[in-house]
Amino acid sequence: MYLRACDRLARSFQLLEPDPDLQMFSATARRTLLAQNRAFLRSKYSPLVVGAARTATTNVSATPPESVYVPGGPVIQGTVNDPTPFPTPSRGHGSHHWAFERLVSAALIPLTAAAAVTSGSQYPILDGILAISLVVHSHIGFDAVVADYLDKRKWPIVGPISKWTLRAATTGVLVGIYQFNTNDIGLTELISRVWTA
């Protein structure tokens, strides 16, 4: 039934008045375009697939849209009629995750004020908590950027690499902050010396 409707639609395209833009094409080019249009309408591919119309109008032997490379384009798996896969529900990625982000952001305000008033060498625990809070806050922000713009479904190689690069960088910064706070002057003392220099 669907193929009959496509045939009727393709025949109706032939019966319509020629488009003024198509009049500049030769008769052979028009026949080729109509044949490609009929072949595309009979195919199992939906016109919603990116690049299908471009493939049908530029190639005489129309290739399936899955083989068309669109730089930065969507990665389509399955057909357009498949349901969207939803992630498994997790309380850790829902309200608890959001509340933890807000708690870290809100805690930075009094920690920064307390570190500005006191000296880091006299209160090393406060200095360590401030340093860890800054690193965790930065990691959460960069992780949101990676999750939003480098999703592993669209960027199957770059997405996981950037996520693991961020994790490795955060671990390295935490180790460096620990070494700096225990074996050197500490974060708040460094900031106060730079401020007064």
Side-chain angles (χ1 to χ4, degrees):
M1 184 168 162
Y2 177 73
L3 289 177
R4 284 187 207 144
C6 288
D7 280 334
R8 272 188 264 133
L9 186 61
R11 276 191 228 113
S12 70
F13 281 130
Q14 290 173 343
L15 297 175
L16 291 174
E17 288 287 312
D19 190 13
D21 296 330
L22 291 178
Q23 287 179 354
M24 65 182 183
F25 290 123
S26 67
T28 309
R30 270 186 264 155
R31 276 194 300 264
T32 306
L33 284 173
L34 284 171
Q36 289 174 357
N37 193 13
R38 264 188 252 115
F40 178 71
L41 288 173
R42 285 189 194 117
S43 70
K44 66 179 183 176
Y45 304 111
S46 169
L48 297 175
V49 177
V50 175
R54 189 178 331 133
T55 303
T57 57
T58 57
N59 254 346
V60 175
S61 62
T63 57
E66 288 87 17
S67 65
V68 175
Y69 174 70
V70 179
V75 176
I76 299 174
Q77 297 174 350
T79 65
V80 293
N81 295 327
D82 290 343
T84 302
F86 288 102
T88 56
S90 173
R91 290 174 56 98
H93 289 93
S95 63
H96 296 291
H97 187 77
W98 186 85
F100 178 72
E101 289 176 358
R102 297 305 164 271
L103 179 70
V104 169
S105 298
L108 280 174
I109 297 169
L111 282 173
T112 306
V117 173
T118 63
S119 173
S121 58
Q122 294 175 354
Y123 300 99
I125 294 176
L126 176 67
D127 195 29
I129 292 172
L130 174 66
I132 290 172
S133 298
L134 283 170
V135 172
V136 168
H137 178 74
S138 300
H139 176 80
I140 289 171
F142 282 118
D143 188 48
V145 170
V146 168
D148 287 345
Y149 295 106
L150 296 173
D151 184 37
K152 67 180 179 181
R153 288 176 293 173
K154 186 169 181 174
W155 303 94
I157 296 172
V158 177
I161 288 174
S162 60
K163 189 171 276 283
W164 282 103
T165 303
L166 175 63
R167 290 173 181 167
T170 301
T171 304
V173 168
L174 283 173
V175 169
I177 290 277
Y178 173 76
Q179 292 293 328
F180 189 69
N181 280 343
T182 55
N183 299 330
D184 210 339
I185 58 175
L187 183 66
T188 54
E189 187 69 27
L190 173 73
I191 293 171
S192 67
R193 286 185 185 183
V194 168
W195 190 268
T196 57

